[in-house]
Amino acid sequence: MPPIAATTAKPQAGFSSLRRFLPYLWPQDNARLKARITGALLLVLCSKIVQVYGAPFALQGAVDGMARGDRSATVLILLLAIGYAAARFGTTMFDNLRNVVFERVGQEATQNLAAAVFRHLHRLSLRFHLERRTGAVTKVIERGTKSIDTMLYFLLFNIAPTVLELALVIQIFWVKFGLPMVAATVVMVALYIVFTRIVTDWRAALRERMNDLDTGAVAHAVDSLLNFETVKYFNAEEREATRYTKAVTAYANAAVTSENSLAWLNIGQAAITNLMLGGGMALVVWGWSEGRFTPGAVVLVSTLLAQLFRPLDLLGMVYRTIRQGLIDMEAMFALIDTRQEITDVPGAPALATRGGVVRFEHVDFAYDPERKILHDVDFTLPAGRTLAVVGSSGAGKSTLARLLFRFYDVNGGRITIDGQDIRSVTQDSLRRAIGIVPQDTVLFNDTIGYNIAYGRDGATQGEVEAAARGAAIHDFIASLPDGYRTRVGERGLKLSGGEKQRVAIARTLLKDPTVLILDEATSALDSRTEAEIQETLQGVARARTTIIIAHRLSTIAHADQIAVMEAGRIIERGTHAQLLAQGGAYAEMWLRQQAEEEEEQVAAE
């Protein structure tokens, strides 16, 4: 399969995209598909030979025999008529056998390309996925992968056979009718191709605009539906509907303009082909009047030109399809050419964990050069200990988790696990060693069992249930009518917040990571559920190297070490008791939260 480019490249323009497409047409490492393509091309050759030399000449012979009025040749004329029908059947048979032989080629090419794009998208950085709309990306992939099968078919079974048929027809015209007929045919075909290309290029610009509007409308619809709760919170249903209506109206207007332009293309093509048909038959009739041609010659010319016009009539559609396919593939190849921001160094070894000592060494980081997030963050977390990171929103707490997972690379300093720079080991082994329970748990629209088993590929049902028991959710799942086969709905919306968090905990338990990150895992829960989840989390974190990113200080008082962050810097560090004794920022946060909790209790009473 063709390699995927990992460096940034300019989008391919026009037919230069074809160079990227050809390896899928003739896969170097697949002799079976090559044999199928070769067999399909041989069937194309058989079809054209029968179509050009069989049917027209059989019909001409039958007409000439009847024109002579020789009743004794009736059997021969009858055989020629039957031969004409047999040739037409043979053409259809060869074409359909060709389709049967080739179908596997098109499907495998589409499958390989779709899989390649999907793998590459998952290799791209978090930055890419945060900046691109999912709906727009999926639409680009859908159109691009569908175009490859269509282009394979048209390139092999329309353009190439049409060129072959044209060559055979010109050879026949040269031998039987001379230079004028050949010249007229060549001029007609050339004029047809030039006209088709000019008008189709004009239509392609209209089509590109239509695609852009279509992509925008779909992207907005997906974004709006995924965030339907937010829409309802702000009574924005009508606002969203109005915005979507504007998008689809703009698309409809562009589509009308594009489709109307097709009528002018068809009229022009019909004028050229019928002018040639009339001129060619007139030339033969003139020759017949001079005694140079037989009556059957008119039938021969009309049959050959009519057969040639059929693929030529399709040639306009084929050119438009290929042109559009190249546009769609250009957008898809632009995705493939998107540079992988985070890559493994050549020959990178797997991470070798020996307990899970986490070290941030004078780390600096910025998502954008103009806005620095972390400033000289430096700490060591011994194996099996717990570090809690607290601070106000925007202090850089969650950025620590993203850097540890290597969703981004640090701008300065380094991060190590058991003394190994995480940039020097494979990303796969690094992420296998780290587990996370996030604040906003997103579940797949599948069963509870599937979502827990997602923590480790190949996990058995017994292991899934053991993880669920560890997360204190097995009894709840067992009480459901469908048990572990219960579907959770899109993003897990059929489960409560506490149930979703327990599923996330079970998933992480099944992964059995060396390093555990709890990223404000209970801040969105009510106090009672939070207390229950906290007890479960403390059990999970026991004997693991754990980083807790928290907002409520009461949930991290047990931590071995607490780091207080402000504006991307660690301003205080110590145990809960030590930080309270210092009377600094942590002590102030503690007192403020205690006062807020007392006020809530009084209000509740």
Side-chain angles (χ1 to χ4, degrees):
M1 193 170 60
I4 295 176
T7 55
T8 301
K10 293 181 180 180
Q12 304 299 311
F15 283 91
S16 60
S17 293
L18 198 57
R19 291 196 302 270
R20 303 285 298 276
F21 162 72
L22 288 177
Y24 294 93
L25 175 62
W26 190 255
Q28 295 297 324
D29 57 349
N30 196 325
R32 179 175 55 84
L33 288 187
K34 287 181 180 180
R36 281 182 171 271
I37 294 173
T38 302
L41 291 177
L42 288 175
L43 288 169
V44 168
L45 182 61
C46 292
S47 173
K48 287 305 174 186
I49 290 175
V50 171
Q51 182 179 359
V52 173
Y53 289 106
F57 282 100
L59 188 59
Q60 180 191 21
V63 171
D64 283 340
M66 294 174 67
R68 286 193 297 268
D70 185 1
R71 299 291 191 273
S72 63
T74 300
V75 174
L76 177 61
I77 295 172
L78 182 60
L79 290 175
L80 287 172
I82 294 173
Y84 170 74
R88 287 176 59 87
F89 170 75
T91 299
T92 302
M93 180 184 69
F94 286 132
D95 285 345
N96 282 276
L97 288 176
R98 171 205 71 194
N99 292 341
V100 170
V101 171
F102 183 75
E103 182 62 29
R104 174 61 60 183
V105 178
Q107 291 299 327
E108 288 203 16
T110 302
Q111 165 196 326
N112 291 337
L113 182 58
V117 177
F118 189 76
R119 286 192 186 95
H120 183 65
L121 286 174
H122 272 296
R123 292 191 190 107
L124 297 179
S125 68
L126 181 62
R127 190 191 311 274
F128 171 85
H129 291 283
L130 291 177
E131 291 175 353
R132 294 295 296 265
R133 287 189 172 188
T134 303
V137 171
T138 54
K139 195 70 175 178
V140 168
I141 297 172
E142 177 189 348
R143 284 199 296 250
T145 52
K146 282 184 177 179
S147 69
I148 189 169
D149 186 42
T150 305
M151 291 183 66
L152 277 170
Y153 183 87
F154 283 139
L155 284 172
L156 288 177
F157 305 138
N158 190 281
I159 292 180
T162 300
V163 172
L164 174 61
E165 183 174 357
L166 177 61
L168 296 177
V169 168
I170 287 176
Q171 182 266 332
I172 293 171
F173 283 175
W174 177 270
V175 172
K176 297 189 70 68
F177 305 110
L179 181 61
M181 184 70 79
V182 171
T185 303
V186 171
V187 169
M188 182 275 294
V189 172
L191 181 61
Y192 185 96
I193 291 173
V194 170
F195 173 79
T196 299
R197 178 167 185 177
I198 290 174
V199 177
T200 303
D201 286 343
W202 166 58
R203 294 192 69 244
L206 299 176
R207 181 79 182 187
E208 261 189 286
R209 169 170 166 73
M210 189 174 71
N211 276 349
D212 289 341
L213 292 170
D214 182 32
T215 299
V218 171
H220 171 70
V222 171
D223 193 32
S224 179
L225 292 174
L226 286 177
N227 293 282
F228 73 93
E229 290 174 278
T230 304
V231 173
K232 290 185 177 297
Y233 290 152
F234 293 94
N235 304 96
E237 292 93 339
E238 188 58 36
R239 190 191 322 165
E240 289 294 313
T242 301
R243 186 178 170 193
Y244 181 68
T245 300
K246 288 181 179 178
V248 294
T249 299
Y251 168 76
N253 292 336
V256 168
T257 303
S258 177
E259 290 304 315
N260 287 347
S261 66
L262 177 60
W264 297 110
L265 177 62
N266 290 336
I267 290 172
Q269 290 172 336
I272 295 171
T273 55
N274 284 284
L275 180 64
M276 175 58 197
L277 180 61
M281 294 180 68
L283 184 63
V284 174
V285 170
W286 181 264
W288 168 78
S289 69
E290 296 180 337
R292 292 186 290 116
F293 305 133
T294 65
V298 175
V299 176
L300 176 66
V301 169
S302 64
T303 303
L304 287 173
L305 287 178
Q307 290 180 168
L308 182 61
F309 291 161
R310 279 199 295 272
L312 281 181
D313 284 341
L314 289 176
L315 188 61
M317 183 270 291
V318 170
Y319 179 75
R320 292 192 303 272
T321 302
I322 291 179
R323 185 75 175 85
Q324 182 56 43
L326 291 171
I327 292 171
D328 293 337
M329 290 176 65
E330 176 184 337
M332 184 182 61
F333 283 132
L335 283 180
I336 292 179
D337 288 336
T338 302
R339 184 180 64 86
Q340 289 178 235
E341 183 179 346
I342 308 300
T343 57
D344 293 338
V345 297
L351 177 69
T353 55
R354 298 181 298 274
V357 178
V358 177
R359 176 90 170 94
F360 275 64
E361 298 181 15
H362 304 287
V363 169
D364 293 323
F365 176 73
Y367 292 107
D368 298 303
E370 298 80 14
R371 185 185 171 211
K372 197 170 183 179
I373 302 297
L374 300 181
H375 306 264
D376 194 31
V377 173
D378 189 272
F379 64 83
T380 299
L381 176 57
R385 300 297 183 88
T386 298
L387 168 70
V389 183
V390 300
S392 58
S393 297
K397 305 186 298 297
S398 294
T399 299
L400 299 179
R402 290 177 172 179
L403 292 177
L404 192 57
F405 266 101
R406 207 182 166 211
F407 290 157
Y408 303 91
D409 276 335
V410 299
N411 301 126
R414 67 175 190 155
I415 302 172
T416 65
I417 295 179
D418 287 330
Q420 302 156 84
D421 191 325
I422 63 173
R423 293 172 296 188
S424 66
V425 299
T426 61
Q427 297 174 66
D428 180 70
S429 64
L430 170 68
R431 290 167 188 158
R432 286 183 187 278
I434 307 172
I436 187 168
V437 180
Q439 174 183 358
D440 183 17
T441 298
V442 178
L443 303 180
F444 292 98
N445 188 5
D446 209 300
T447 65
I448 293 179
Y450 174 86
N451 277 281
I452 295 177
Y454 201 79
R456 190 176 77 244
D457 190 26
T460 65
Q461 180 62 26
E463 292 171 329
V464 169
E465 292 181 10
R469 287 189 178 93
I473 195 175
H474 172 76
D475 292 341
F476 164 74
I477 298 174
S479 70
L480 298 172
D482 293 327
Y484 283 86
R485 293 189 298 274
T486 302
R487 300 193 72 88
V488 302
E490 190 163 345
R491 296 187 298 156
L493 292 179
K494 291 184 179 180
L495 301 180
S496 69
E499 291 160 356
K500 287 170 61 177
Q501 287 301 88
R502 290 189 186 279
V503 170
I505 294 168
R507 185 163 59 188
T508 303
L509 272 176
L510 187 62
K511 185 177 183 180
D512 192 25
T514 303
V515 178
L516 177 64
I517 300 173
L518 306 176
D519 189 358
E520 304 208 40
T522 62
S523 63
L525 305 177
D526 60 84
S527 300
R528 180 178 176 181
T529 306
E530 179 184 41
E532 295 172 353
I533 297 291
Q534 278 297 328
E535 183 178 350
T536 304
L537 288 174
Q538 289 181 25
V540 172
R542 193 170 296 119
R544 299 178 194 271
T545 304
T546 306
I547 297 176
I548 304 175
I549 298 168
H551 173 70
R552 295 185 185 177
L553 304 186
S554 58
T555 63
I556 50 91
H558 66 283
D560 299 305
Q561 189 177 100
I562 299 172
V564 182
M565 293 192 68
E566 183 177 310
R569 302 177 189 275
I570 295 179
I571 58 172
E572 291 180 1
R573 188 184 309 164
T575 65
H576 175 69
Q578 290 170 343
L579 292 174
L580 287 181
Q582 288 180 16
Y586 181 84
E588 182 182 342
M589 292 168 60
W590 176 265
L591 293 174
R592 184 167 60 250
Q593 289 190 13
Q594 291 297 310
E596 290 173 355
E597 289 177 7
E598 290 176 3
E599 290 177 2
E600 290 176 0
Q601 291 177 359
V602 171
E605 294 174 356

